[in-house]
Amino acid sequence: ETGVTQTPRHLVMGMTNKKSLKCEQHLGHNAMYWYKQSAKKPLELMFVYNFKEQTENNSVPSRFSPECPNSSHLFLHLHTLQPEDSALYLCASSQEGSGQGTDTQYFGPGTRLTVL
Amino acid sequence: RKEVEQDPGPFNVPEGATVAFNCTYSNSASQSFFWYRQDCRKEPKLLMSVYSSGNEDGRFTAQLNRASQYISLLIRDSKLSDSATYLCVVNEVDSSYKLIFGSGTRLLVRP
């Protein structure tokens, strides 16, 4: 058990729907991430939050809107998605700032999203 | 050129075999390197960090060659449970917490 949970695990939505993905980490970490994993492509970093502040938006379309209300919770709000947005969306967390370089990222189980 | 490049495989090996994967990275200033394992339809999990001096964890050995900008993973005495996709991961140089993932190398261990 990685200590990072995600809900829902599966989501099917139409292009006009609005939905939200939720991530919660129970590890006391200070950084959280959203990744997208499409078939046969490497994980793509979407957003990074460090101490609740968004420090990275990796040229993600505005139809994806992240929210980090506290250091344990991360949301990804979805609006007017396209079929090509269908993918596995993974949340991760890590403890940054230890001075030891990049710290290990722990992943949640992901939400498998299908956009019809 | 991809930032992190791996042979997609699949590598199909019998139980007990030794198998090695290589990965190349493009930015010579990268400092942190990892191997993650991802099972089918599951999330990636850290297998091991890769240190400059090389490191071993049981049947797994990781090596780093900075001069040639490649990382290797050696698995000895393969088990059926080793079947998975192995992701090579490198940190982004101007950010200590941004990781760049390779597409992964798929390993199939057969009885």
Side-chain angles (χ1 to χ4, degrees), chain B residues 85-102:
Chain B
T85 296
Y86 290 84
L87 306 173
C88 177
V89 185
V90 176
N91 80 305
E92 187 168 291
V93 173
D94 31 336
S95 168
S96 66
Y97 47 83
K98 282 177 61 179
L99 299 179
I100 303 169
F101 286 76

Side-chain angles (χ1 to χ4, degrees), chain B:
Chain B
R1 183 184 171 187
K2 293 181 184 175
E3 292 179 274
V4 178
E5 199 144 7
Q6 297 182 249
D7 180 343
F11 285 63
N12 192 323
V13 303
E15 263 187 297
T18 295
V19 61
F21 310 135
N22 285 336
C23 160
T24 57
Y25 60 96
S26 60
N27 196 323
S28 60
S30 295
Q31 293 294 320
S32 301
F33 310 90
F34 309 87
W35 283 102
Y36 275 72
R37 170 194 168 129
Q38 187 171 22
D39 292 285
C40 188
R41 305 185 77 81
K42 295 287 186 76
E43 73 274 21
K45 293 184 179 179
L46 179 70
L47 179 66
M48 57 199 305
S49 301
V50 186
Y51 304 121
S52 297
S53 54
N55 47 303
E56 188 174 309
D57 182 3
R59 298 180 294 108
F60 299 85
T61 300
Q63 297 274 346
L64 169 64
N65 185 320
R66 285 190 186 274
S68 301
Q69 292 177 220
Y70 81 77
I71 308 148
S72 64
L73 177 68
L74 182 77
I75 305 175
R76 289 180 299 278
D77 189 23
S78 300
K79 311 291 184 191
L80 296 177
S81 56
D82 293 334
S83 297
T85 296
Y86 290 84
L87 306 173
C88 177
V89 185
V90 176
N91 80 305
E92 187 168 291
V93 173
D94 31 336
S95 168
S96 66
Y97 47 83
K98 282 177 61 179
L99 299 179
I100 303 169
F101 286 76
S103 299
T105 298
R106 191 164 169 224
L107 172 65
L108 300 172
V109 181
R110 62 181 188 272

Side-chain angles (χ1 to χ4, degrees), chain A residues 50-65:
Chain A
N50 200 329
F51 291 103
K52 301 188 300 177
E53 298 295 323
Q54 187 182 130
T55 56
E56 190 72 28
N57 176 336
N58 227 20
S59 303
V60 180
S62 60
R63 57 186 185 270
F64 294 92
S65 172

Side-chain angles (χ1 to χ4, degrees), chain A residues 33-44:
Chain A
Y33 312 78
W34 279 116
Y35 287 88
K36 174 183 178 182
Q37 188 174 35
S38 304
K40 301 193 186 304
K41 291 176 70 175
L43 268 75
E44 302 171 52

